[in-house]
């Protein structure tokens, strides 16, 4: 049978910087508050490889996201919930 290997990843781009998962509460707060200042984009990539033939299919997708100013209590709640530490740029959409 055919065996396919599927790999993928996503990053957030904001103000010209690639943002990975935040490493601290301060970094998460900086990321989240910045999204109210200017739009961010998610860039996702996927590669599907046929392990028998070595043939590969690659694709990228980009989406821009616009927020109004994000209130401090919302930012604090997102950080305390902890999910932002598992998402590129702390962005959960």
């Amino acid at each position: 049978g055919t065996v396919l290997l599927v790999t993928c990843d996503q990053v957030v781009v904001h103000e010209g910087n690639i943002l990975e998962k935040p490493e601290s509460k301060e970094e998460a707060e900086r990321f989240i508050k910045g999204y109210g200042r200017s739009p961010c984009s998610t860039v996702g990539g996927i590669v599907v490889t046929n392990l028998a033939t070595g043939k590969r299919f690659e694709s990228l997708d980009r989406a821009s996201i616009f927020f109004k100013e994000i209130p401090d209590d919302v930012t604090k709640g997102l950080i305390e919930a902890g999910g932002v530490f598992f998402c590129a740029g702390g962005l959960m959409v």
Side-chain angles (χ1 to χ4, degrees):
T2 302
V3 179
L4 301 176
L5 174 65
V6 180
T7 55
C8 56
D9 200 7
Q10 177 176 298
V11 296
V12 172
V13 178
H14 184 249
E15 296 179 341
N17 298 303
I18 296 173
L19 306 182
E20 295 285 354
K21 296 175 184 85
E23 296 181 359
S24 67
K25 289 182 177 182
E26 295 77 20
E27 187 172 50
E29 180 177 13
R30 190 173 76 249
F31 288 175
I32 295 167
K33 295 303 282 181
Y35 301 144
R37 186 174 58 245
S38 60
C40 60
S41 297
T42 59
V43 180
I46 185 169
V47 177
V48 179
T49 305
N50 182 318
L51 295 180
T53 66
K55 289 184 180 180
R56 294 172 33 153
F57 170 79
E58 303 170 6
S59 183
L60 287 175
D61 186 53
R62 184 178 183 130
S64 296
I65 306 161
F66 297 79
F67 291 95
K68 293 183 179 180
E69 183 176 347
I70 301 171
D72 290 340
D73 61 324
V74 172
T75 300
K76 182 179 177 182
L78 289 168
I79 293 169
E80 287 178 357
V84 297
F85 295 101
F86 300 100
C87 302
L91 184 65
M92 298 173 56
V93 287

